[in-house]
Amino acid sequence: MWMLVPVAFALKLLSIFLQPLGSVWSSLGPLFLQLRAASWLAGGERSRLLQSRREAGEPSRAEGEGGGDLPTTPTSVNYHFTRQCNYKCGFCFHTAKTSFVLPLEEAKRGLLMLKEAGMEKINFSGGEPFLQDRGEYLGRLVKFCKQELQLPSVSIVSNGSLIRESWFQKYGEYLDILAISCDSFDEQVNVLIGRGQGKKNHVENLQKLRTWCKEYRVAFKINSVINRFNVDEDMKEQINALNPVRWKVFQCLIIEGENSGEDALREAERFVISDEEFEAFLDRHKDVSCLVPESNQKMRDSYLILDEYMRFLNCRNGRKDPSKSILDVGVEEAIKFSGFDEKMFLKRGGKYVWSKADLKLDCLRIFVPPSVGIRAPVT
Ligand code: SF4
C-alpha cells in the first residue's frame, strides 16, 4: 500500500502542471489532504508497531544503546520532585542542591506526558517527599496519578518521619506502595548515619507506619543502604517481623557532585563498602524471602530518574548528568539522554507485581505488635 502513495502523488502532480493556472488551486486542496492522510496513517502504523513490540516484551533502547528504532519506554519512573530533606544521611546521593519544586500544575502536565509515553509506575521520592506543603503536594500528585491517570502503580519512598495518620486517611486509597528507608534497627547506628532528627526514634516510627499501612491497605516496603556502619548487622529477625512486601537492599553508592567531590554536599567515602562485604551481608540474609539486592552497577543504569525540573538524570559516568526537561522537549527527546538500560531494568526484576490490586493482600493483613523484634532505643 505504501508503494502506491508516491506513485499516485507523482501522477497527480504531473496532471496539475498540465492544467490551466485557475484550476491548479482546486487540485492542490485534495492533494494536501491526501498527503496528510498518508502521514497520519504512517504515524498510526508506527505507534501500532511500537505497541505490539512492547507487548511482546521487546525492550526499547535509548540512543546509542546498540541501535534499534524504538524510543525508550518510561515504564517505571522515579520522580525526585524535591531535594529538601529533614535528615542528614552521610551517604545521601540526592542532596539539597536546590530548593526548587515545580508548581503543582506543571508537575501534573509532565506526569500526563509520561503516561502518554507509556509510564505504568510512578515512584515519588526526594529529598523527603512529605516535606513540601506538609505532604499536601505529594498527596495531590498521588491522587492525580491514581484517579486521573489511572496508573497501575503509585508509590513513595520516604524516611517516614513526617507522615501523619491524617495523610493516610485522605490519600491512602490512592497509594499502592510506601517504602520507608531504614538502615539499622539499632538507633545508635541510625544516629551515626544521620538518619534521625532530634529525639524522634526512627525505628519506633517504622513500626507505627507498618501499622498504618496495614490499616489503610497500602503495601509496605523497606529500603536499606548497606554501608560501613551497618554492614555487620543481622536484621533477619526484625525484617521478618515487619514482613514487608519487598526489602530492597542497596550497596552504598558514590555519585560525583552529590556525595563526593569538591562541589558535593556530602563526603560518603567513609561509608563505602566493598563488593565482597556487600555479598557477605546478602549471604547472611539469604533466607529472608522478600530481600531484593541491588548492587552499584544495577543502580547506575537501571533506573529512570527525573529531577525537580523533570530532567532525566544519567548516572552512567558516576555523576548525575541532566537531560533537558521533558516539559521543554518532550519525553521521547529527553529520554535519549537518560542513560537508561531497559534490558538491565528487566534483568534486575524492575517489573514486578506493583499494584496493590494484584498483590496478595496477605502481606497487608499480617501485623506484629510494636514491641516484637525491635531493639530498644539507645538514649
Ligand atoms: S533521608 Fe534520604 S533524602 Fe534525606 S538525607 Fe537521608 S538519604 Fe538523603
Side-chain angles (χ1 to χ4, degrees), residues 85 87-89 91-94 126-128 159 181 195 266:
C85 187
Y87 278 14
K88 291 187 171 55
C89 306
F91 50 70
C92 181
F93 48 81
H94 204 78
E128 172 45 48
N159 65 34
S181 309
R195 264 200 207 285
R266 298 282 196 286

Side-chain angles (χ1 to χ4, degrees), residues 182-250:
C182 176
D183 304 325
S184 175
F185 291 90
D186 181 338
E187 194 57 20
Q188 208 167 30
V189 173
N190 282 325
V191 171
L192 270 175
I193 289 172
R195 264 200 207 285
Q197 198 193 28
K199 292 193 180 110
K200 277 189 185 169
N201 183 307
H202 191 71
V203 176
E204 280 177 2
N205 198 41
L206 189 71
Q207 188 60 56
K208 189 176 67 185
L209 291 164
R210 175 70 186 100
T211 313
W212 286 339
C213 280
K214 178 209 159 240
E215 229 167 273
Y216 295 94
R217 301 182 71 74
V218 173
F220 178 68
K221 188 175 155 185
I222 297 176
N223 286 355
S224 301
V225 177
I226 308 310
N227 61 81
R228 177 61 47 219
F229 298 96
N230 64 0
V231 68
D232 295 322
E233 198 166 324
D234 186 339
M235 307 184 188
K236 285 194 289 281
E237 194 188 331
Q238 294 91 342
I239 294 290
N240 282 332
L242 285 162
N243 193 29
V245 287
R246 269 161 91 85
W247 179 32
K248 264 278 183 77
V249 175
F250 301 91

Side-chain angles (χ1 to χ4, degrees), residues 174-343:
Y174 309 110
L175 183 65
D176 291 281
I177 303 171
L178 176 65
I180 301 296
S181 309
C182 176
D183 304 325
S184 175
F185 291 90
D186 181 338
E187 194 57 20
Q188 208 167 30
V189 173
N190 282 325
V191 171
L192 270 175
I193 289 172
R195 264 200 207 285
Q197 198 193 28
K199 292 193 180 110
K200 277 189 185 169
N201 183 307
H202 191 71
V203 176
E204 280 177 2
N205 198 41
L206 189 71
Q207 188 60 56
K208 189 176 67 185
L209 291 164
R210 175 70 186 100
T211 313
W212 286 339
C213 280
K214 178 209 159 240
E215 229 167 273
Y216 295 94
R217 301 182 71 74
V218 173
F220 178 68
K221 188 175 155 185
I222 297 176
N223 286 355
S224 301
V225 177
I226 308 310
N227 61 81
R228 177 61 47 219
F229 298 96
N230 64 0
V231 68
D232 295 322
E233 198 166 324
D234 186 339
M235 307 184 188
K236 285 194 289 281
E237 194 188 331
Q238 294 91 342
I239 294 290
N240 282 332
L242 285 162
N243 193 29
V245 287
R246 269 161 91 85
W247 179 32
K248 264 278 183 77
V249 175
F250 301 91
Q251 184 180 354
C252 182
L253 180 67
I254 291 287
I255 297 276
E256 188 74 22
E258 294 282 355
N259 60 16
S260 177
E262 269 180 18
D263 55 343
L265 296 179
R266 298 282 196 286
E267 289 175 9
E269 281 80 3
R270 68 197 174 98
F271 289 89
V272 170
I273 55 168
S274 66
D275 292 351
E276 292 71 33
E277 287 174 300
F278 184 59
E279 284 303 322
F281 182 92
L282 295 180
D283 197 50
R284 197 178 316 128
H285 295 87
K286 62 178 182 305
D287 295 332
V288 181
S289 58
C290 58
L291 192 157
V292 181
E294 206 103 311
S295 67
N296 284 350
Q297 189 53 39
K298 276 189 196 168
M299 272 176 83
R300 278 204 180 96
D301 44 22
S302 67
Y303 280 86
L304 265 179
I305 301 174
L306 270 186
D307 75 357
E308 66 276 22
Y309 300 100
M310 285 198 157
R311 303 178 300 185
F312 286 109
L313 297 179
N314 184 336
C315 304
R316 286 218 156 169
N317 298 319
R319 303 184 302 270
K320 284 183 170 173
D321 296 324
S323 69
K324 290 188 174 153
S325 172
I326 64 166
L327 297 170
D328 296 331
V329 298
V331 176
E332 195 173 323
E333 185 59 26
I335 209 168
K336 290 177 187 168
F337 302 93
S338 63
F340 176 64
D341 184 341
E342 200 171 5
K343 272 192 200 151

